[in-house]
Amino acid sequence: DALLGCHRSYRSRPTHGIGKFKYLLPKELPKKRKEKVQVKEIDAGTEYQYGDVNIQMTSYDLCLVEHFAQYVHRLCNRLSIRVNESYAMPTKTNEVLFMEEKGSKMQLDAVLTTHQRVVQIRGLSSTFAPILLEIIQSSQPEGVHLLVKQHTEADFKSRLKSRPELEELLAEMS
Amino acid sequence: SAAAQRPWKLFGAMCLLRLPRITQPLEKVEEAMAALMEQIELEKSHYSDHEVRKLEEEEQLKKKKESLYDEDEALGKTVIMAQDLEEKWEQKFLQFKAAPRITDADKNNDRTSLNRKLDSNLTLLVKQKIGNQELWLLPQAEWQPGETLRSTAERAMATFLGDHIQAKVLGNAPYGIYKYKFPRAIRTENNVGAKVFFFKAFLQSSDLSQAELKADHLWVTKKELGDYLKSEYLKKVNRFLLD
């Protein structure tokens, strides 16, 4: 009898719900789809802090750009500057055609891909900003273009894809 | 009011830097590491499209030589072979000549030209008369009440190099300060000494043809600064110059 007995945790038994743990974990709210632009910080206040600053690095060479972006990110971590985001913009492919007009018309093609990485920083004090800029400038690798600018809504929206069908429907409605 | 007037004279000095154009040569450890990483990556990597195409065409050629029935199939395909492309690219590469890393100015050790050490920062030094002596200094100008120290430094730069310089000053805060007291003969109650505030600017374009250079000027690297500046001055300037 003892061998055959099945001690399943049934609802009437005191061991009911013995393995449950999900009630102990913190509650996860369902994710919202739409993300709106974050609130900007004071730009020229009494403490002279910059708001969101974008450091954009573009190059033809993927490895260089990625490594440089990693380097900048780690530098900011070490200097305890808060890094909001570090993302990549979509790559652009350019086809280069050579038209040789001496002799027969030859078209030599070359395919170039342009890669762009962005590191977003917040809370940069204006006394420290020129030093940081100088460090980044002097450690730029060859072939990498650097651009440092303030974050705007246009920058945020350039990452989002436009929906032509939605826009058409909205135009029809209004 | 005379009572509120401070006994120190204020100067704003501009440290004009030309950023390096070429990367510095790698050290031995770095070179060895780079070679090792390249070898590892080469051995781990897969074949690229071009290499796959080249191998396929080599196999086709071999088959052609051994047997004849592949000629009918391969008529339309082999217009340009991958091998031909490679040879063309190699020829183009041989025609390309890179600019020399060590320029003429380096060989002559001509310190007044900007085409000198292309892999390090160059600072502008100017000969100025202070008191009775003519000294090599960073270009400086006296501060007029009512203007910011940064504009004093920019004015100093403009007096020595003309108005049309494309130099970018990054921030409003000075990088360093050097203060000294005048010798006892000139010292008065209101004139104890002078404080020089240093600002940094980066030269955007290397075209100085429009610049009117009035006094003697030099472009020097950080190591060569010691030949020209006095020791106390040099100490303060070295604090904010990166190598």
Side-chain angles (χ1 to χ4, degrees):
Chain A
D1 212 1
L3 293 168
L4 292 173
C6 164
H7 293 281
R8 236 180 70 223
S9 301
Y10 198 59
R11 272 177 256 178
S12 53
R13 279 193 189 272
T15 51
H16 172 61
I18 189 166
K20 283 190 188 171
F21 61 90
K22 207 169 178 186
Y23 67 96
L24 290 171
L25 297 173
K27 301 245 163 130
E28 272 185 27
L29 297 161
K31 268 192 178 179
K32 267 191 177 179
R33 269 215 158 179
K34 277 194 183 171
E35 282 182 18
K36 299 191 182 165
V37 187
Q38 302 284 330
V39 180
K40 281 191 196 168
E41 262 211 22
I42 36 163
D43 272 344
T46 48
E47 305 157 32
Y48 289 108
Q49 268 201 347
Y50 286 101
D52 291 326
V53 171
N54 275 1
I55 304 178
Q56 294 176 340
M57 296 153 267
T58 38
S59 171
Y60 295 122
D61 190 359
L62 181 68
C63 304
L64 267 189
V65 156
E66 277 197 354
H67 283 291
F68 189 48
Q70 279 184 7
Y71 165 75
V72 166
H73 201 310
R74 284 189 180 183
L75 191 77
C76 296
N77 282 350
R78 269 210 77 121
L79 301 168
S80 46
I81 302 173
R82 194 187 130 174
V83 176
N84 274 352
E85 291 178 305
S86 151
Y87 55 86
M89 300 291 276
T91 60
K92 301 177 191 172
T93 0
N94 288 328
E95 273 209 7
V96 180
L97 304 163
F98 289 97
M99 299 284 288
E100 278 185 58
E101 292 179 70
K102 294 180 191 175
S104 54
K105 273 194 180 177
M106 304 259 289
Q107 282 198 356
L108 296 173
D109 299 341
V111 179
L112 292 173
T113 49
T114 313
H115 306 268
Q116 194 180 46
R117 297 281 180 277
V118 182
V119 178
Q120 210 185 82
I121 284 173
R122 174 182 282 226
L124 190 68
S125 73
S126 74
T127 47
F128 186 64
I131 305 176
L132 180 74
L133 279 176
E134 202 191 325
I135 297 175
I136 300 180
Q137 255 186 330
S138 47
S139 60
Q140 247 181 316
E142 307 149 309
V144 173
H145 301 283
L146 188 68
L147 177 66
V148 180
K149 54 194 273 238
Q150 289 185 329
H151 188 61
T152 52
E153 250 197 72
D155 284 328
F156 180 74
K157 290 210 169 150
S158 64
R159 288 179 77 190
L160 307 170
K161 264 187 169 175
S162 63
R163 290 195 208 163
E165 309 115 356
L166 191 69
E167 284 168 17
E168 274 179 37
L169 290 172
L170 281 172
E172 278 179 33
M173 268 177 57
S174 59
Chain B
S1 56
Q5 201 183 33
R6 288 190 206 141
W8 298 90
K9 269 190 167 181
L10 298 179
F11 288 89
M14 180 64 85
C15 176
L16 192 62
L17 284 180
R18 185 221 64 178
L19 289 169
R21 303 256 211 95
I22 306 175
T23 49
Q24 291 171 347
L26 296 172
E27 296 180 31
K28 277 187 188 174
V29 185
E30 289 179 350
E31 271 186 34
M33 182 69 182
L36 188 67
M37 289 301 288
E38 257 201 63
Q39 202 185 6
I40 293 177
E41 279 174 24
L42 188 69
E43 289 173 9
K44 269 192 181 177
S45 66
H46 300 283
Y47 284 125
S48 69
D49 287 338
H50 174 78
E51 288 185 332
V52 165
R53 190 179 151 193
K54 197 172 150 192
L55 287 172
E56 278 178 3
E57 282 170 8
E58 274 181 21
E59 281 185 26
Q60 277 184 4
L61 269 181
K62 268 192 198 171
K63 275 190 188 173
K64 257 196 193 177
K65 284 182 186 174
E66 289 167 15
S67 52
L68 293 171
Y69 51 76
D70 260 341
E71 276 195 38
D72 301 323
E73 289 177 17
L75 266 181
K77 282 187 198 173
T78 52
V79 179
I80 306 175
M81 301 265 293
Q83 188 70 36
D84 299 336
L85 279 175
E86 264 201 44
E87 282 169 14
K88 255 185 234 159
W89 294 334
E90 280 227 36
Q91 280 179 8
K92 258 199 176 177
F93 183 62
L94 288 169
Q95 284 175 2
F96 171 75
K97 266 191 182 175
R101 289 182 76 113
I102 308 178
T103 56
D104 295 331
D106 261 334
K107 291 178 195 165
N108 301 338
N109 205 2
D110 176 23
R111 291 192 174 179
T112 52
S113 85
L114 260 186
N115 272 339
R116 272 194 75 210
K117 310 243 168 179
L118 290 174
D119 61 352
S120 46
N121 285 337
L122 287 186
T123 333
L124 178 68
L125 276 189
V126 174
K127 218 171 193 181
Q128 275 185 299
K129 199 165 183 187
I130 294 193
N132 305 331
Q133 303 167 315
E134 276 220 0
L135 297 169
W136 283 107
L137 297 173
L138 301 175
Q140 68 186 39
E142 193 166 344
W143 175 74
Q144 317 280 347
E147 67 171 358
T148 55
L149 271 173
R150 174 179 160 169
S151 49
T152 321
E154 287 172 350
R155 191 167 46 94
M157 198 168 60
T159 46
F160 285 102
L161 288 180
D163 282 329
H164 303 278
I165 318 169
Q166 295 171 17
K168 193 155 195 185
V169 188
L170 286 177
N172 287 329
Y175 276 78
I177 169 174
Y178 172 63
K179 67 181 190 191
Y180 62 96
K181 292 192 173 173
F182 292 139
R184 300 225 172 215
I186 321 180
R187 237 188 264 187
T188 57
E189 261 191 30
N190 280 346
N191 227 350
V192 172
K195 290 186 186 176
V196 188
F197 291 89
F198 298 108
F199 287 84
K200 240 192 209 178
F202 294 104
L203 202 64
Q204 302 286 82
S205 73
S206 57
D207 180 30
L208 286 183
S209 52
Q210 286 184 345
E212 312 121 26
L213 299 142
K214 294 172 192 171
D216 296 328
H217 67 290
L218 282 186
W219 294 96
V220 283
T221 55
K222 190 175 171 184
K223 293 177 197 168
E224 297 160 7
L225 272 181
D227 300 334
Y228 297 96
L229 297 179
K230 296 203 162 179
S231 60
E232 281 295 320
Y233 195 80
L234 178 69
K235 259 197 238 171
K236 302 284 176 171
V237 169
N238 264 341
R239 282 185 72 180
F240 64 83
L241 277 186
L242 292 175
D243 211 350

